[in-house]
Amino acid sequence: MGAALEEAALGLEAGEVPIGAVAVADGEIVARSHWRASDGLLAHPELVALQQANRRAVTLVTTLEPCLLCMAAAMFQFAERVVYALESPTDGGTRIGDVWDPAAGSVAPYRFSAVEPRVRAEESALLVREFLERFPGSPFARWAATLV
């Protein structure tokens, strides 16, 4: 989570919502990303890290609960585990694994072995609070405020 928090801090310094993600395989960070709205609204750090991991079985570590899109991507990318810091009450998607029930015999996305919530959540919350103080006019400020 330390590396994901470092990525989030890089985003904050660039005036972005401080969300960072890393993909870990065999104990090594193989991909990292932070939020860059200029890359497009679908360039979520989790998606970018999963794409950079290039089909490796990874643990996805992120400072914010992945949205439904990112959780589905983690399932299809064969993530073994998802670890996150802050919960996202408006769009968190980690419960998809609880309700995903493909028909018997169908080809279905891999299920990860674990979702670990609230790892170093307060540190992530501090970065979001700093973002709100420094960039109150950001178009993402209203949403970011729901995180803390």
Side-chain angles (χ1 to χ4, degrees):
M1 184 60 75
L5 287 163
E6 290 170 7
E7 283 294 317
L10 290 173
L12 175 64
E13 290 309 310
E16 302 281 7
V17 180
I19 304 168
V22 297
V24 179
D26 300 319
E28 299 288 327
I29 295 172
V30 297
R32 54 177 64 225
S33 184
H34 60 271
W35 179 252
R36 293 177 187 91
S38 61
D39 288 348
L41 295 179
L42 293 180
H44 296 189
E46 300 86 352
L47 291 177
V48 173
L50 287 168
Q51 289 173 332
Q52 289 174 359
N54 196 21
R55 299 185 187 184
R56 293 183 189 171
V58 298
T59 293
L60 177 64
V61 181
T62 179
T63 60
L64 181 65
E65 178 181 11
C67 70
L68 186 58
L69 174 68
C70 293
M71 284 301 292
M75 291 169 77
F76 280 91
Q77 186 73 11
F78 304 107
E80 297 172 331
R81 199 165 60 123
V82 174
V83 178
Y84 68 90
L86 281 180
E87 292 176 342
S88 183
T90 60
D91 63 353
T94 56
R95 290 176 300 284
I96 188 174
D98 297 338
V99 298
W100 183 261
D101 188 19
S106 69
V107 176
Y110 182 84
R111 291 179 187 255
F112 13 82
S113 59
V115 174
E116 297 177 34
R118 304 203 48 77
V119 175
R120 297 176 69 173
E122 190 51 42
E123 291 169 78
S124 187
L126 287 172
L127 289 171
V128 173
R129 286 185 193 104
E130 185 175 343
F131 168 79
L132 292 169
E133 289 173 12
R134 289 175 57 187
F135 307 102
S138 166
F140 299 104
R142 186 172 171 202
W143 171 75
T146 68
L147 305 174
V148 293

